[in-house]
Structures are given as C-alpha cells and as structure tokens.
Amino acid sequence: MSGNTFGRSFCVTSFGESHGPAIGCVVDGCPPNLELSEADIQRDLDRRRPGTSRHVTQRREPDTVEILSGVFEGRTTGTPIALLIRNQDARSKDYANIADTFRPGHADYTYWQKYGIRDYRGGGRQSARETAVRVAAGAIARKWLAERHGVRIRGCLTHIGPHAIAFEDWAHVDANPFFAANASQIAALEAFMDALRKSGDSVGARIEIVASGVPVGWGEPVDDKLDADLAYAMMSINAVKGVEIGAGFAAVTQRGTQHSDEMAPEGFLSNNAGGILGGISTGQDIIVAFAVKPTSSIRLDRHSIDKAGRAVTVNTHGRHDPCVGIRATPIGEAMMALVLMDQALRHRAQNADVRTSTPHIAAAAPPDAVAKRRAASVEDPDPDEA
C-alpha cells in the first residue's frame, strides 16, 4: 500500500491497524539537538485518546508512546525517530457481523474493491485509530516550532450538529470534553450528546485551528502553497469533508472592499486571508477550519449490500464515537504542526539568507490604530448637516 508518508523535509510514515498489536510511525527529518522525551509526546496523546468522557468511544486505550530510536541522552540525533503505541483494548468480535458486508458511508466497500482483502476489525488500516500516531509526530513538530520560532497552535470545536459554539476564551478548551472555547454552553452540549447517544445516531462537527507567531514567508507560490498543504493535511484526516482557510466560503458573499486585507504601518487591518497570501504566510494568525461528517458506524439499521452484491441490512455494534469531531481538535492541531514544520525546514533550506528593506508589519494592528485609520479615511461631515 502506498500513500502512508506525509511531508517532504519533515516526513512521517505511519503503520499499523486498529486491532493489530500496535500502531506507530517513523519521523524522518527532525533536526538534531531538540530536547525530547516520551512525556513531551504523551501530553498531546492524552488529549486525543479514547474513553476520556461518556460522549466518545469507550474503548480504553492508554495510548502510551514508546520512543524506539532517534533520541539519545534526551535529545534528537537527526536520525529517524520511531514511535510505537501498543493496542490494548481491541474487541475484534464486535465486528464479526460485518466481515462480509459493507457499512454505508464507510471505506469498507472502496477498500475491498481496491485491494481485494480487508481487515474488517475496527476498520483496520482506514480506522481513525491511525490518527494517534499523527498526534504523536505532531507533538515533536509543535515543540520544535515553539522553541525555534515561538509558534503556538491551538484549536477548538465551533459547531456540533446544529449547535454553534460561541468563542469565549481559549482557557476553556481543555476544561471540557468538547474542546470548546466556551464554558456557558457545555451543559446544553452534554444534554444534546446524551440524547444523541441514546438514539443510536451520529452527528458532524466543525473544528477551527489557529497558529500564532508564524513568520512571514513560509510556503511556496505555485504547487506547494501553504494553504494547499494545509487543505491536503486536513482532508487526510478521517471523516473530514470540507476545509476553509480564513473567511473560507464566506468570501463568496463578501465584496473586494471587505475581503482584501488592508495594510498599514501598524499592521494588517483584517485577516480574511487566514494568514496566507499567494500561498505564503503573512505573519498573521493562520486560521484553518474543517468539517467532520457524522460517524458512519451506527447501531441503527441501514441498507447496504454484501460481498455477493445482495441487499442486506447493516447495523454496527461496538464502541463508537457518536461524533468523531469531538476528538478531532488535537488531530487538527497536529496536522497544522506537521505542515508548518515541513514548510519551515524547506524555507530554511532555500531562503534563510533572504533579507529585504521592507519592515515586517505587525501581524495585527491594535484596535485603536485600526479605528483611527478608518476615521481618518472618512471626511469630516459638515457641522450644519451633522
């Protein structure tokens, strides 16, 4: 099987299946002398792991990471870093009834037609369990980006099903099971999820990821645009069906006078571009959002076919997330980190010595500077008409 390696300069190759003995990855291209321990990686894995609340799958995996190579005396050596996460709570018998049928909305049918063989236990290789190793690799990238460039990557759930979640404060994200930057709506979200879980159905979600402190200049202007790489990365996450950069689809209804991000000596006056212009970072916050479809594995009866093409009724029993988007925030953060790390190393290789006489403007102008500049662009009204 091809297509298991992500990145060019910072490369991550993953392996393993949902119900196999382990999953893991090899990270190649990490610069040497980065202080790195299993604890650095485990923090992010603990945020993603299953069984952390009643609203997600109850599969109990500790997701304990082991560093097998690439680190000596607490520092990276520049050689490939091998990471291993052992599976400890697989229940393969839960999937015996779908061995010869295909779950609607799942990869069962396409996988079977492509390879002629599939591991039906928990989805095998196409299971979202694979995203654990992305989070592990992303933790390495996140640490390097923070130490070398001061980059900070954060994410939050902004919609779950029909419920829009108001942004209140980043501090709330790790204080609730939804990764919501909100405290006032959590009780209502929990009631919604409790009812959904009892119904046996599932629902989708929208997640937003923000990277602050990214220098101006990362990304390429043609095929390897930074926003193109980010869209590719987010779309590679299981169940993702849509990606937006900055204003995204809202740009359809905007005018050019509204959408184009004006610049002033104090900084940019808006960020509809999501921190990327012409495929290259502007120095503003990079803002990416993605949509996650409803979970395909549900216990309600659905029409499908079996391997012989006969009509069947399929329902899936087991431990499934009624909304896979709930645990997608750490995954989106990891993919943002992997893309930025890869682009940072590529930029360093070709453009590290580039200097221009134009100053780097602030990522965002202070609100008072924006207001003053806006006011200065409007003629004073006639006192008699005021």
Side-chain angles (χ1 to χ4, degrees):
M1 175 191 288
S2 59
N4 297 290
T5 300
F6 181 87
R8 293 194 181 186
S9 293
F10 189 82
C11 304
V12 180
T13 302
S14 70
F15 62 86
E17 295 80 35
S18 177
H19 286 218
I23 54 176
C25 68
V26 175
V27 180
D28 202 1
C30 182
N33 287 308
L34 173 70
E35 284 192 27
L36 186 68
S37 69
E38 289 162 342
D40 293 322
I41 301 170
Q42 195 64 50
R43 281 193 292 270
D44 284 358
L45 283 171
D46 288 345
R47 296 175 70 228
R48 192 222 72 101
R49 68 182 175 85
T52 53
S53 79
R54 69 179 185 273
H55 308 299
V56 299
T57 173
Q58 294 305 293
R59 179 171 175 172
R60 300 291 179 177
E61 292 286 356
D63 281 353
T64 304
V65 66
E66 302 172 39
I67 299 177
L68 304 183
S69 67
V71 177
F72 179 67
E73 294 182 342
R75 291 183 176 273
T76 58
T77 61
T79 59
I81 302 170
L83 305 176
L84 189 72
I85 302 170
R86 300 181 189 277
N87 294 325
Q88 299 185 19
D89 190 27
R91 294 183 188 174
S92 301
K93 61 180 177 60
D94 289 346
Y95 298 88
N97 66 330
I98 64 163
D100 296 316
T101 60
F102 307 111
R103 289 167 292 180
H106 208 283
D108 297 343
Y109 173 75
T110 53
Y111 198 99
W112 172 255
Q113 293 286 27
K114 181 174 179 67
Y115 295 103
I117 185 173
R118 71 182 177 97
D119 182 349
Y120 58 82
R121 305 167 303 166
R125 177 66 181 155
Q126 72 265 33
S127 168
R129 178 111 187 94
E130 184 267 348
T131 61
V133 298
R134 302 185 189 206
V135 172
I140 299 173
R142 186 197 293 255
K143 183 170 187 183
W144 187 89
L145 289 165
E147 291 188 2
R148 298 300 189 274
H149 296 282
V151 174
R152 185 177 188 182
I153 300 171
R154 296 179 289 191
C156 64
L157 187 74
T158 65
H159 293 74
I160 185 166
H163 299 278
I165 304 171
F167 182 92
E168 293 177 353
D169 196 295
W170 284 113
H172 298 313
V173 171
D174 287 327
N176 65 78
F178 300 101
F179 295 94
N182 180 292
S184 60
Q185 294 179 247
I186 302 306
L189 295 178
E190 291 194 317
F192 170 74
M193 289 303 301
D194 287 341
L196 181 70
R197 187 175 64 256
K198 290 177 182 178
S199 75
D201 214 337
S202 61
V203 76
R206 180 184 185 274
I207 293 91
E208 188 168 291
I209 311 296
V210 179
S212 303
V214 177
V216 62
W218 291 3
E220 307 294 341
V222 186
D223 289 333
D224 295 327
K225 290 179 168 66
L226 178 55
D227 41 359
D229 279 5
L230 285 168
Y232 172 84
M234 300 305 169
M235 284 298 297
S236 76
I237 300 172
N238 307 61
V240 170
K241 284 299 182 181
V243 177
E244 293 185 310
I245 309 292
F249 285 97
V252 174
T253 60
Q254 291 178 334
R255 300 290 181 97
T257 48
Q258 179 186 1
H259 180 81
S260 58
D261 300 316
E262 295 178 90
M263 293 174 282
E266 301 87 359
F268 286 88
L269 305 187
S270 59
N271 191 13
N272 289 296
I276 303 169
L277 289 171
I280 301 171
S281 60
T282 65
Q284 297 170 276
D285 285 355
I286 293 179
I287 304 171
V288 181
F290 57 91
V292 180
K293 71 175 184 177
T295 313
S296 299
S297 297
I298 56 178
R299 69 172 187 265
L300 302 179
D301 288 347
R302 305 293 293 155
H303 296 298
S304 188
I305 61 171
D306 63 14
K307 287 182 178 179
R310 296 173 298 221
V312 296
T313 299
V314 175
N315 53 62
T316 309
H317 293 273
R319 300 163 295 174
H320 304 291
D321 297 84
C323 176
V324 290
I326 291 178
R327 292 193 295 132
T329 296
I331 303 168
E333 292 173 351
M335 297 311 295
M336 173 80 87
L338 292 177
V339 170
L340 293 179
M341 179 78 175
D342 192 49
Q343 288 283 7
L345 293 178
R346 289 159 64 182
H347 179 80
R348 185 172 72 170
Q350 183 184 25
N351 303 90
D353 297 328
V354 173
R355 299 290 184 272
T356 70
S357 59
T358 303
H360 290 182
I361 61 175
D368 59 338
V370 175
K372 290 178 181 177
R373 189 160 294 278
R374 291 294 188 198
S377 67
V378 179
E379 292 184 1
D380 292 332
D382 189 317
D384 294 332
E385 296 178 358

